[in-house]
Structure formats: C-alpha cells, structure tokens
Amino acid sequence: MSKILHRSIYAKLPIAVGGRGIELFDADGKAYIDASGGAAVSCIGHGHPDVLAALHAQLDKLAYAHTGFFTTEVAERLADRLVADSPDGIDYVYFVSGGSEAIEAALKMARQYFVERGESRRRHVIARRQSYHGNTLGALAVGGNEWRRAKFKPLLIETHHIAPCYAYRDRSDAESELEYGDRVAYELEAKILELGPHGVIAFVAETVVGATAGAVPPVKGYFRKVREICDRYGVLLILDEVMCGMGRTGTLHAFEQEGIVPDIMSVAKGLGGGYQPIGAVLFGRHIYNAFSSGSGFFQHGHTYMGHPMAAAAALAVQNVIREERLLDNVMRMGELLNRRLRERFDSHNHVGDVRGRGLFRAIEIVAERSNKAPFDPAQKLNAVVKREALARGLMVYPMGGTIDGARGDHVLLAPPFTVNAGQVDTIVERLGDALDAALSKSGSPINVDLLQ
Ligand SMILES: *Cc1c(COP(=O)(O)O)cnc(C)c1O
C-alpha cells in the first residue's frame, strides 16, 4: 500500500515512468497523448533536450542560494526576459513556486500598495463566481468554486463574488455580446459602490477561465469595461493567468487580446512547463514605486522563491517557445483544433458548446443540447470521460460543476504548443470515442470512488 496521501485514496494510479514530446509512458509501457499538458502545464511537451541541458548546467553551477542573501544571474535574466516580452505596464517580477503562491503574493502586494499610499481603509477583494485561483486559504477565498470552498468556509477571509462572463449560459437571447459583457461588467461597479468606493483593494479574474468552467473566454469589450471601472474607483485589476497565460491562448499573455493591461498578474503553470515548480507575479511600475518610495520592501517571502533551478527551467522553456516560434503554432493548431472539435461535436446532441482560444479549448457536455440541461452530477460523467479517454491513451482534463460548482460537465484540452496536425486529429478522434463510450455507459451504476 502506498504511503502517499494521493488526491483520491481509492483511485488506482498508473505509474508514470517517462515522457517524450506530447506523450507520457506508464510502467506497463502504455503511451498516453498528453492533450491537457496535465493541467495546462506541459506547454512544450516532455523531455525537451534544451531544457534538460539548461537544468544540468544550472545544477553543476549552483542549485540554491537564499534570496535573503543573494540574487542569481539566471533569475535576473528570467525577470528581464519576462518584462521585455510583456506589454508596457508590466515592469517588474516577483518569483514564487506556483500558482496559489502567486495569487497569495498578488493579494498581499495589492493590500500593501494601498497601505504604502496611506489608504489602509481599503480591504475588500472582489472576484467572480466559477473561478479558480488556487487551494491555499487566501487563494481559495477569492476563488469562486463553491464545491472547493464549502468545507473550508469558516477559515476563509471575506471576499465578494460577482457574475463571471460566461456567455453560453448567461447571455440572454435578447442581448448582444456587447450588451451582455457590459451588464456583467457593471456588476463590478455595483459591488464597488455597495462596499464603498474607497474600501476596495482589487478585482481578481482569470482572463480566460480555466479548470472551473472550461476555457471560457470573455466576450469582446468586457475587460475594457472592467478596466474602466477599476480605474474610476482606484481599484487594482489582478488577472490570474496561471492557466491561460504564457502563450496558451496564442499571445504571451491572454490579456493582450483584450486591449488592456492589468496592474498585477499571476503566472505559473506554463512558465516552467512542468520542468520545475515556478510561478511569478508580474506588475506595473506604479506598484513598485509605491513600495520603493514607501517602506522599501514587500513584506512577504518564501524559502524557495527565485530558485535557480526553477528559473533555469523557465528561462529554457521560454527560449524554446521563442526559438521554435511556438506561439505561431499555438495560433495555427489552435484554429485546427477548434475546427476539428466543431466538425466532431457541432451536431452532437450532448455537446452544447465548443469554446476557447489558441490551444486552450473545451467542450461543455449537456444532457440535452436544445435546453442546455446538464446531466445529473451523481453520474460523474466527467470522471467517466476521463477514464474512457485514459483507456484510449488520451489525457484530457474533464471537470464537473461547470455551471455553479455542482451541475454541469466539461472537458478541457490544453495540448503542448508543439502539437502537430496529425496529433490534433488523433486527439479529437479519441476524445469523441471516449465521450460516446462514456455516454453509452451513463445511467449504469459506477463506483465513483475509483474514478477521481
Ligand atoms: C492552477 C491554478 C492556480 C493554482 O496554481 P497551483 O500551482 O496549483 O497552486 C491558480 N489559478 C489558476 C487560474 C489556476 O489554473
């Protein structure tokens, strides 16, 4: 018996022993196409020789030096690179070891920014329902996934949630996309006014919603409106691009397609591509200046922040993306993936929506296409799809609770940026087969404990 407390105690997990390109291999020699990059992590696939070489070289030089004593060349170069590649308004970097840490740091940074400016009355954070920002208590508190929050509610800091921008479910037929976007953006203004305009620190949102709702892009104009509202009340805009960022949607940052720049943003998953745990908070000069002309330091820190091995991995991954012109491939293969998904599922009675950007796509599963009714959550259809896909050598990222944390199912796809046209075809073919197999078994009793 394993001595690890696994994610699910009763699940029988295969043992991963290797990976090359977009495939992972288990101890029985079975190959899996990693069409979700784990959880949108493995953005350049597995075993890339350049990253391995960079990691070996860094290990031979220096594995660790505490950031309270030293900086390192590799961390400095990564920060320079991230700022140089970002639009104006993203000027500084704070390194951490993952997405939840990046959100925690972003929240504290936003709060301290106002304390430095003598606005310590500001204390409220507004976020959106159906969002995921991480599992540590601060990140969980801003997250809007009811199922994940419920057990821990008594421990969570006070946060306020408004509607997501989820056009497939929430736009009425009488509304244009623009009108819908305005309506949900104005919920932010209403909430700010309700809490008192000088009481709000920040609005936190995923630019393209990831795991909780399944690659939900904002409607056109939504984030422009959000940016205007934040500016009107001096509220900081924090964008969580832990999953959708670092090239996943075809631009380095997903917000570049919205015509806005956040004050603070979080990145992680694709930053290190799974080769090392790393996350970062990226932010504007105005934030930095408040610290530099105030107390002179950000009151935060972790033992492993700016870890040289993590920085080396991230720098190498970002170099590969540039040298192999992978963002072009994200755009091209993203379009192809979208087209193939539509061909396969547009007339499927149990697929209500095909959505996403770049190589960040999802299908939303419905019991009935015409009225968008979800399947009974007790069927755990998303888990059955995951099992059927794995049986066919395909890793996808299905999740339940799409609509409100309890009802709805979707399947998220986030293949490596290196995916080619033939592999896109195979992914969609296996996903279609897995979904149909899962549906044909739905209704029959399943041991849900074994499925997570
Ligand atoms: C995964 C994720 C996080 C949390 O990142 P961890 O590295 O798992 O802590 C935060 N925000 C979003 C949008 C994510 O997808």
Side-chain angles (χ1 to χ4, degrees):
M1 279 300 282
S2 174
K3 295 294 180 287
I4 299 174
L5 175 55
H6 288 287
R7 283 173 182 256
S8 171
I9 288 178
Y10 299 110
K12 232 182 113 32
L13 296 169
I15 299 169
V17 295
R20 193 175 324 112
I22 75 162
E23 285 187 321
L24 280 170
F25 311 104
D26 73 14
D28 296 333
K30 182 173 170 143
Y32 305 81
I33 294 182
D34 189 1
S36 59
V41 174
S42 301
C43 58
I44 61 165
H46 303 275
H48 196 292
D50 292 8
V51 185
L52 302 191
L55 279 170
H56 284 297
Q58 184 60 46
L59 188 58
D60 287 341
K61 217 191 291 175
L62 174 70
Y64 177 70
H66 194 283
T67 46
F69 299 85
F70 296 101
T71 185
T72 55
E73 196 192 323
V74 67
E76 295 291 343
R77 274 171 51 214
L78 177 60
D80 289 345
R81 176 61 189 281
L82 291 172
V83 170
D85 288 354
S86 297
D88 273 357
I90 298 293
D91 308 301
Y92 292 93
V93 181
Y94 186 84
F95 287 120
V96 290
S97 301
S100 301
E101 279 189 12
I103 288 294
E104 298 288 340
L107 294 171
K108 284 179 71 179
M109 187 179 283
R111 164 67 186 170
Q112 193 181 325
Y113 167 79
F114 286 114
V115 174
E116 298 287 358
R117 290 161 46 101
E119 291 185 71
S120 47
R121 270 162 60 206
R122 287 196 191 251
R123 64 188 188 88
H124 296 296
V125 177
I126 302 172
R128 302 189 300 180
R129 294 189 292 277
Q130 289 314 93
S131 58
Y132 181 61
H133 297 300
N135 264 328
T136 52
L137 291 173
L140 191 63
V142 287
N145 182 308
E146 268 320 301
W147 174 78
R148 289 182 200 262
R149 290 166 51 95
K151 257 177 222 161
F152 305 100
K153 226 166 198 165
L155 307 188
L156 301 182
I157 54 165
E158 180 190 339
T159 49
H160 304 271
H161 291 94
I162 62 168
C165 184
Y166 182 13
Y168 170 65
R169 288 275 165 197
D170 298 340
R171 182 176 69 83
S172 82
D173 289 340
E175 276 173 322
S176 69
E177 290 225 322
L178 216 62
E179 287 166 338
Y180 167 67
D182 281 0
R183 172 165 66 82
V184 279
Y186 281 126
E187 281 200 23
L188 174 60
E189 183 161 44
K191 185 57 81 179
I192 291 171
L193 292 173
E194 178 193 323
L195 295 167
H198 302 294
V200 180
I201 293 171
F203 175 57
V204 185
E206 291 168 85
T207 317
V208 178
V209 182
T212 294
V216 180
V219 298
K220 206 169 165 353
Y222 169 79
F223 271 112
R224 277 185 196 274
K225 209 42 116 205
V226 163
R227 180 73 267 187
E228 271 171 41
I229 293 167
C230 286
D231 289 344
R232 191 173 310 145
Y233 300 100
V235 170
L236 296 177
L237 175 60
I238 300 177
L239 291 181
D240 182 351
E241 298 208 357
V242 167
M243 190 176 256
C244 65
M246 298 312 296
R248 179 55 54 200
T249 65
T251 46
L252 180 69
H253 303 307
F255 69 73
E256 292 171 49
Q257 296 172 47
E258 304 309 313
I260 56 143
V261 180
D263 300 285
I264 300 174
M265 71 180 297
S266 57
V267 294
K269 295 184 169 114
L271 174 59
Y275 288 88
Q276 289 287 295
I278 183 168
V281 183
L282 313 184
F283 53 100
R285 185 166 289 116
H286 54 302
I287 308 286
Y288 185 91
N289 289 345
F291 287 80
S292 65
S293 61
S295 65
F297 79 114
F298 174 32
Q299 195 171 332
H300 196 56
H302 291 289
T303 301
Y304 293 128
M305 61 192 290
H307 196 288
M309 295 299 292
L315 188 59
V317 167
Q318 298 312 310
N319 281 337
V320 167
I321 291 173
R322 175 187 284 185
E323 279 156 22
E324 298 183 13
R325 306 183 61 82
L326 292 181
L327 294 192
D328 294 345
N329 201 54
V330 172
M331 287 290 192
R332 254 193 332 267
M333 290 302 114
E335 283 313 308
L336 179 67
L337 178 58
N338 184 40
R339 198 157 68 236
R340 292 285 178 263
L341 288 170
R342 288 185 177 284
E343 285 163 8
R344 182 66 177 79
F345 298 116
D346 261 359
S347 54
H348 197 295
N349 191 40
H350 296 298
V351 176
D353 196 24
V354 175
R355 58 183 175 237
R357 297 233 174 110
L359 283 174
F360 198 43
R361 303 275 168 181
I363 57 172
E364 183 165 336
I365 303 169
V366 290
E368 175 55 55
R369 192 186 176 93
S370 58
N371 62 10
K372 304 182 184 178
F375 278 97
D376 179 354
Q379 286 188 20
K380 291 248 180 191
L381 189 59
N382 61 87
V384 185
V385 172
K386 182 176 176 181
R387 184 189 58 189
E388 292 296 333
L390 280 176
R392 288 164 177 76
L394 181 71
M395 288 166 62
V396 292
Y397 204 67
M399 197 71 81
T402 313
I403 303 169
D404 54 10
R407 296 172 311 134
D409 300 272
H410 66 266
V411 181
L412 187 67
L413 296 171
F417 303 172
T418 49
V419 72
N420 64 38
Q423 292 164 333
V424 166
D425 290 349
T426 308
I427 289 167
V428 174
E429 195 180 295
R430 290 187 190 175
L431 174 60
D433 292 347
L435 178 62
D436 287 341
L439 288 165
S440 76
K441 288 172 189 169
S442 78
S444 53
I446 31 174
N447 184 348
V448 293
D449 285 340
L450 297 177
L451 292 174
Q452 278 308 300

